C-alpha cells in the first residue's frame, strides 16, 4: 500500500509568519507532487504542483521536493487568516495517473 | 464558465436504498475520478475513468458502481451494499496523461 503521511496538526502560526508543512511518501518511484488547499466544508483547490527536486515558488507559496529523502514540503510566507484551511499533499505514483492523498494538515493563522 | 458540477449538494438516504450522484464537466477532460472523504481524513479513490466506456476500480470500490457513457458525465451510484456510505463525495477531472486534477464542489451524503 503506497502511503502519503502528513502531520494532522493543527499548525498554529501568527499572522505574518511562515507556515511550514511537511509530507512524506513511501513510493520511491513517485513522479509528481501536489498541494491542495481545502476550506472547511469545501472541495480541494490545487495550489502548487512540483515535479523535480528543488524549490518552486508561486506568490507566497513555495513547494520544496527532495526525492532522495522522499519528502515534499510547502511554505506559506506572510501567513494571513485567509490561509487557515487544511492542506492536502497528493502524490502520483510511478504507474498510471492516480493520486494518493495524505490525511491533510490543518493550519490556523491567528491575527 | 468551464468547470465541474456535482448534484445534489446534500443528499439524504434511507438504509437499503441506492442513490446516484451526478458529476458533469465541460472542461473537455478525458479522465474523471470519484473520491470519498470522511471527517478529518484525506481522500480515498473509489473509481476512475480515463476514456469513455472504460473505468477502473480504485482503492475502495466495494458497494459503488459507475458508468461513463459520455465524456462529460461520470455518475456514481452508492448501492445498499456499501456499509457506511455517509461521507463527502468529490468528483475530479484531468486531461488524459496529466496528473493535475480539478475538483467539483462535492456532494454530502447522509444515511438516515
Amino acid at each position: 500500500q503506497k502511503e502519503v503521511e502528513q502531520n494532522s496538526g493543527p499548525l498554529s502560526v501568527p499572522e505574518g509568519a511562515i507556515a511550514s508543512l511537511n509530507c512524506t511518501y513511501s513510493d520511491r518511484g513517485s513522479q509528481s507532487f501536489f498541494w491542495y488547499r481545502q476550506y472547511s466544508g469545501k472541495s480541494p483547490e490545487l495550489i502548487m504542483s512540483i515535479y523535480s527536486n528543488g524549490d518552486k515558488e508561486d506568490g507566497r507559496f513555495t513547494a520544496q521536493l527532495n526525492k532522495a529523502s522522499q519528502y515534499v514540503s510547502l511554505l506559506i510566507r506572510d501567513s494571513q487568516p485567509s490561509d487557515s484551511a487544511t492542506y492536502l499533499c497528493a502524490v502520483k505514483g510511478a504507474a498510471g495517473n492516480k493520486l494518493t492523498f495524505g490525511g491533510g494538515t490543518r493550519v490556523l493563522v491567528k491575527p | 464558465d468551464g468547470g465541474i458540477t456535482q448534484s445534489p449538494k446534500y443528499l439524504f438516504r434511507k438504509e437499503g436504498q441506492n442513490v446516484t450522484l451526478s458529476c458533469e464537466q465541460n472542461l473537455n477532460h478525458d479522465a474523471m475520478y470519484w473520491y470519498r472523504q470522511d471527517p478529518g481524513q484525506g481522500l480515498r479513490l473509489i473509481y476512475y475513468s480515463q476514456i469513455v466506456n472504460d473505468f477502473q476500480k480504485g482503492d475502495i470500490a466495494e458497494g459503488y458502481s459507475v458508468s461513463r457513457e459520455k465524456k462529460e458525465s461520470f455518475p456514481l451510484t452508492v448501492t445498499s451494499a456499501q456499509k457506511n456510505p455517509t461521507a463527502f463525495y468529490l468528483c475530479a477531472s484531468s486531461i488524459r496523461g496529466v496528473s493535475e486534477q480539478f475538483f467539483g464542489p462535492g456532494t454530502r451524503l447522509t444515511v438516515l
Side-chain angles (χ1 to χ4, degrees), chain A residues 34 36 38 43 49 51 92 97, chain B residues 37 48 98-101 104:
Chain A
F34 307 92
Y36 286 83
Q38 186 175 26
S43 61
S49 307
Y51 303 96
K92 174 188 173 306
N97 226 31
Chain B
Q37 187 176 36
Y48 63 105
V98 175
S99 306
E100 294 177 344
Q101 296 181 15

Side-chain angles (χ1 to χ4, degrees), chain B residues 79-101:
Chain B
T79 75
S80 57
Q82 170 49 234
K83 301 299 183 196
N84 185 20
T86 295
F88 189 36
Y89 289 86
L90 291 156
C91 178
S93 70
S94 69
I95 298 171
R96 189 178 182 190
V98 175
S99 306
E100 294 177 344
Q101 296 181 15

Side-chain angles (χ1 to χ4, degrees), chain B residues 57-89:
Chain B
K57 293 181 179 179
D59 301 318
I60 55 165
E62 185 175 353
Y64 300 98
S65 65
V66 293
S67 63
R68 187 83 187 279
E69 298 177 359
K70 298 186 295 183
K71 185 176 183 179
E72 59 269 24
S73 178
F74 191 39
L76 173 74
T77 297
V78 184
T79 75
S80 57
Q82 170 49 234
K83 301 299 183 196
N84 185 20
T86 295
F88 189 36
Y89 289 86

